[in-house]
Amino acid sequence: MSTFQELGLNQDLLNAITDLGFTKPSEVQEKAIPILLETETDLVALAQTGTGKTAAFGFPMLEKIDVNSRTTQGLILSPTRELCLQITNEMKQYGKYCKGLNVVAIYGGSSIHDQARDVKRGAQIIVATPGRMKDMISRRMVDISKIQYSVLDEADEMLNMGFKEDITDILSHTPEDKNTWLFSATMPREVAAIAKNFMADPQEITVGNKNESTTNVSHEYYMVNARDRYQALKRLADANPDIFSVVFCRTKRDTQRVAEQLIEDGYSAGALHGDLSQNQRDLVMKSFRNKQIQMLVATDVAARGIDVDNITHVINYQLPDEIETYTHRSGRTGRAGRTGVSMVIVSRSETRKIKSIERIIKRKFDKKEVPDGMEICEVQLMALANKIHNTEVNDEIEKYLTNINQLFENTSKDELIKKFFSVEFSRFYNYYQKSKNLNVSEGSRDRESRDDFSKNSNSARYFINVGSKDGFDWMKLKDFLKEVLELGRDDVFKVEVKDSFSFFNTEKDQQEKVLAFFTDYKHEGRFVNVEVSENRGGGRRNDRRGGRRRDDKKGGGFGNRNGRRSNGGDSYSKSRRSESGSREERPRRSRR
Ligand code: ADP
Ligand code: MG
């Protein structure tokens, strides 16, 4: 293992490195820096997030540019505003002793004129997102015709986000003989194509194996019925009282809903997605960094900029569409030498995806069981016991103790402990004692739909007077219903499309909302009629009383250390509350 000095960096950079507290180069830095310093070459570097790629290209670029010139010599492209700002900030810190250095960030959502003015003052290095960069080039606000070094950071992610054309366009304004350094966590075909088309005989370095996940992250999956996803999420959180996690959803809407529901259920959660204003996003990120938020629910795109080091769990509430994205998600934990867990909540039909991911990350998943209620009670109780054990006594309490001591005069220590913990335990116990097992088995060939159909007393079946004649297949109908009813992807199920009519299910507590919505709804000029169906697939449907009670459905788990108690409802429905009236009262969790 070499030192930064041995890599050949100049004194200005070494001083900054000392200030930053970096003691030795990371692997990607050790491999990339000497190559980039000593040769004028193109480079492809593959390394996971959190491995120190910014410095791997940043130090050499700072060493090589001429700070006495005001010409733009280096261009760094990155996928998101957050990353762009992060890189700019890092570059400024690395270059703090390079007198005359000017690094400018260019990104959407902020004044283009201010940015143009900053560039005009003489930016040797520009860090940009592709969209805004392209815009500024076409408005002649920047000149990149003399750059010598271009960096494509998080190349896989930029391509995932559809920036291929923008990148091509931007690079066409740069000189032929510049050097291009491409950094990426994974190497999908599209990235290989960029390397082939835009780079000349690049040197290649790989840290770890290509597309391979870091070894200090373990991977687990939990198989549940699609509709129990949210319940499973809460149990995973309850079973890990000190969780500090990012929960990934596929869509902005699911992200918002899951976060809202978690908050309502007493967890310290926040949403991060593209429909929020920049200000809102900044606030959420600030709370997350300060650990005021324990569960950050995010879309993949929004989470790109997250560089929080001590995330304990990544939870894949839904698997991503692109398998490569999984690597990015799980790379949010296990950073900076710590261990982390990446959990995936899957339905049975998704097990194939788990196998594909295993092939790509070259790691095996552990199939785990969603903890049952009693396990969670035990974990919570032990967490409380440990917390009490580690609590420092506040001397201010002395003056209140006389009366309390009097009360417990005749209570033994043993008995006192039992009583004390029973306060919490009874609450956990009452909540979880009738909770159902959420796990579904892999082996069983039963269609998910069938077995809970007969047992599930909590879903409602509907008849709707549109069918394949109207251009619907089950997927289109499901999408349509989700859209108009503003439901999540798991909330409409068992969709069966016939010629001129169809059937579908929702949770029972959505019934009011569904029926209300379709009282005067027109689709392509025709009234759409929805009724509760008594009939399904030949079987009688009116025997729903006496079905299995889904006790889990009531109430929301234990919430977090901020101590707010859940107060009912696991679905996204608001109507259940107004409908039931008799919302189950739960003991409030004492603030602690
Ligand atoms: P990547 O781009 O690979 O995801 P970053 O460049 O963002 O990783 O670095 C991750 C974190 O590690 C940053 O906080 C950075 O300051 C820190 N870091 C980078 N290099 C070193 C090093 N050699 N020693 C200690 N910390 C480092
Ligand atoms: Mg990076």
Side-chain angles (χ1 to χ4, degrees):
M1 184 59 82
S2 37
T3 61
F4 281 110
Q5 204 151 16
E6 283 160 2
L7 296 183
L9 296 171
N10 70 33
Q11 199 56 46
D12 285 345
L13 292 174
L14 291 174
N15 291 342
I17 290 169
T18 309
D19 289 357
L20 282 160
F22 295 1
T23 49
K24 55 180 196 296
S26 69
E27 193 181 342
V28 69
Q29 293 163 3
E30 194 174 22
K31 286 182 171 167
I33 292 172
I35 296 177
L36 298 180
L37 283 181
E38 285 154 28
T39 49
E40 292 296 316
T41 179
D42 286 352
L43 176 84
V44 172
L46 297 179
Q48 284 302 310
T49 44
T51 51
K53 292 192 287 291
T54 318
F57 61 74
F59 291 151
M61 185 181 279
L62 288 165
E63 175 104 25
K64 288 185 145 185
I65 55 151
D66 177 5
V67 282
N68 298 316
S69 156
R70 285 156 50 99
T71 310
T72 301
Q73 302 153 58
L75 171 67
I76 301 165
L77 292 177
S78 89
T80 64
R81 171 192 189 271
E82 280 77 14
L83 277 176
C84 173
L85 286 169
Q86 202 174 298
I87 294 167
T88 308
N89 185 33
E90 294 260 318
M91 292 296 280
K92 283 181 177 166
Q93 289 191 47
Y94 301 161
K96 70 196 244 199
Y97 297 116
C98 305
K99 217 158 175 287
L101 173 69
N102 199 4
V103 184
V104 172
I106 284 180
Y107 51 89
S110 181
S111 160
I112 196 167
H113 299 287
D114 289 354
Q115 291 172 1
R117 191 195 56 221
D118 290 346
V119 170
K120 276 234 165 58
R121 287 198 187 129
Q124 293 95 355
I125 297 174
I126 289 177
V127 187
T129 53
R132 174 57 66 94
M133 188 66 201
K134 195 179 148 195
D135 200 6
M136 289 183 72
I137 292 171
S138 65
R139 294 161 78 162
R140 297 183 190 285
M141 289 170 153
V142 287
D143 174 11
I144 51 169
S145 65
K146 299 201 178 58
I147 65 158
Q148 292 165 289
Y149 307 101
S150 64
V151 172
L152 304 177
D153 191 30
E154 310 267 2
D156 51 354
E157 205 53 39
M158 286 201 285
L159 297 174
N160 259 347
M161 290 170 65
F163 284 135
K164 180 157 182 253
E165 276 177 22
D166 287 353
I167 293 171
T168 310
D169 189 86
I170 292 164
L171 292 180
S172 74
H173 292 86
T174 61
E176 277 282 324
D177 62 355
K178 68 176 180 309
N179 291 143
T180 302
W181 306 337
L182 181 152
F183 286 77
S184 188
T186 59
M187 188 70 170
R189 233 175 300 130
E190 298 78 14
V191 175
I194 288 265
K196 189 155 167 276
N197 297 337
F198 294 98
M199 300 168 77
D201 199 13
Q203 299 212 37
E204 194 175 319
I205 59 173
T206 304
V207 171
N209 288 324
K210 271 183 208 177
N211 295 336
E212 193 170 285
S213 201
T214 46
T215 45
N216 44 357
V217 177
S218 55
H219 303 264
E220 302 175 346
Y221 72 97
Y222 296 83
M223 212 193 312
V224 301
N225 281 322
R227 274 169 295 118
D228 289 331
R229 259 179 227 281
Y230 180 71
Q231 286 304 324
L233 172 65
K234 282 198 310 190
R235 290 220 197 154
L236 294 175
D238 285 345
N240 294 282
D242 291 325
I243 197 165
F244 181 54
S245 65
V246 185
V247 178
F248 284 99
C249 296
R250 277 152 60 124
T251 64
K252 293 179 209 169
R253 182 184 283 177
D254 287 345
T255 302
Q256 184 65 29
R257 283 188 173 159
V258 169
E260 278 175 14
Q261 195 62 51
L262 283 171
I263 292 165
E264 197 166 318
D265 287 345
Y267 298 82
S268 57
L272 188 71
H273 55 73
D275 282 352
L276 302 175
S277 71
Q278 192 55 52
N279 197 24
Q280 286 171 313
R281 273 189 278 170
D282 291 345
L283 278 175
V284 169
M285 276 313 295
K286 191 166 166 231
S287 312
F288 188 54
R289 274 180 221 286
N290 297 338
K291 298 210 168 174
Q292 283 155 340
I293 285 179
Q294 266 183 295
M295 299 175 84
L296 180 71
V297 189
T299 57
D300 289 294
V301 173
R304 285 312 292 144
I306 300 176
D307 70 327
V308 178
D309 276 343
N310 33 19
I311 291 167
T312 59
H313 294 76
V314 163
I315 302 182
N316 294 262
Y317 184 76
Q318 292 141 343
L319 276 173
D321 289 324
E322 301 280 325
I323 290 172
E324 274 88 15
T325 307
Y326 179 81
T327 322
H328 284 288
R329 290 182 174 187
S330 58
R332 298 286 132 207
T333 183
R335 289 166 69 95
R338 293 182 181 81
T339 56
V341 184
S342 173
M343 299 172 151
V344 186
I345 303 172
V346 286
S347 63
R348 198 174 312 153
S349 55
E350 292 173 307
T351 35
R352 262 180 311 118
K353 271 196 168 178
I354 292 286
K355 296 274 175 293
S356 319
I357 294 173
E358 284 181 336
R359 273 195 299 279
I360 287 192
I361 66 174
K362 298 198 175 66
R363 296 286 306 280
K364 278 275 171 214
F365 273 83
D366 289 328
K367 180 178 188 307
K368 294 267 200 147
E369 299 273 296
V370 178
D372 68 30
M374 289 306 114
E375 285 171 65
I376 290 172
C377 287
E378 191 178 335
V379 169
Q380 291 280 342
L381 210 50
M382 281 318 294
L384 174 62
N386 276 315
K387 187 166 180 156
I388 290 168
H389 185 75
N390 296 331
T391 295
E392 271 187 44
V393 171
N394 180 340
D395 291 330
E396 292 298 310
I397 203 163
E398 283 295 338
K399 53 183 177 245
Y400 307 103
L401 286 181
T402 320
N403 290 341
I404 296 177
N405 279 329
Q406 238 162 35
L407 191 62
F408 290 107
E409 208 168 24
N410 298 318
T411 313
S412 71
K413 176 187 166 192
D414 237 22
E415 211 178 330
L416 184 62
I417 290 180
K418 275 187 209 160
K419 278 176 186 276
F420 184 85
F421 281 96
S422 291
V423 174
E424 283 290 272
F425 185 69
S426 301
R427 189 174 64 74
F428 298 155
Y429 184 81
N430 293 342
Y431 172 62
Y432 265 126
Q433 63 168 339
K434 291 195 205 107
S435 62
K436 72 165 188 168
N437 181 355
L438 296 181
N439 298 291
V440 295
S441 69
E442 205 155 356
S444 155
R445 294 241 142 238
D446 282 359
R447 285 285 310 275
E448 216 168 272
S449 44
R450 239 166 264 156
D451 65 341
D452 29 75
F453 222 150
S454 49
K455 292 181 201 134
N456 184 1
S457 59
N458 264 342
S459 77
R461 183 96 171 142
Y462 308 87
F463 163 93
I464 182 167
N465 65 335
V466 296
S468 51
K469 273 185 176 162
D470 307 287
F472 286 103
D473 57 23
W474 71 268
M475 208 145 58
K476 284 188 187 138
L477 184 59
K478 185 169 172 152
D479 283 342
F480 164 75
L481 292 166
K482 265 169 28 195
E483 188 67 34
V484 299
L485 293 166
E486 301 195 341
L487 293 172
R489 53 188 292 124
D490 299 331
D491 295 344
V492 176
F493 45 97
K494 299 182 185 45
V495 178
E496 241 177 278
V497 175
K498 308 282 186 204
D499 232 18
S500 57
F501 58 89
S502 311
F503 296 101
F504 66 96
N505 281 31
T506 70
E507 293 292 308
K508 187 100 191 214
D509 51 35
Q510 304 277 10
Q511 183 173 314
E512 205 180 358
K513 174 177 171 183
V514 173
L515 296 179
F517 181 83
F518 283 108
T519 45
D520 60 350
Y521 183 82
K522 273 188 183 175
H523 178 64
E524 294 176 356
R526 184 154 79 84
F527 274 110
V528 176
N529 179 24
V530 170
E531 290 164 20
V532 172
S533 159
E534 292 297 316
N535 223 328
R536 72 154 288 280
R540 299 298 297 171
R541 267 300 267 170
N542 48 5
D543 60 349
R544 291 200 213 97
R545 280 146 303 172
R548 179 173 59 183
R549 241 179 74 106
R550 302 178 69 194
D551 294 281
D552 245 15
K553 291 275 169 191
K554 297 269 186 87
F558 292 130
N560 56 19
R561 59 165 181 221
N562 287 357
R564 283 177 43 214
R565 265 299 293 151
S566 68
N567 51 11
D570 74 294
S571 76
Y572 306 124
S573 143
K574 302 285 173 216
S575 64
R576 90 174 300 141
R577 286 173 190 105
S578 50
E579 177 197 52
S580 70
S582 64
R583 181 158 109 205
E584 212 178 73
E585 257 316 304
R586 281 176 195 292
R588 296 219 137 248
R589 182 173 210 164
S590 50
R591 276 195 93 86
R592 38 169 222 256

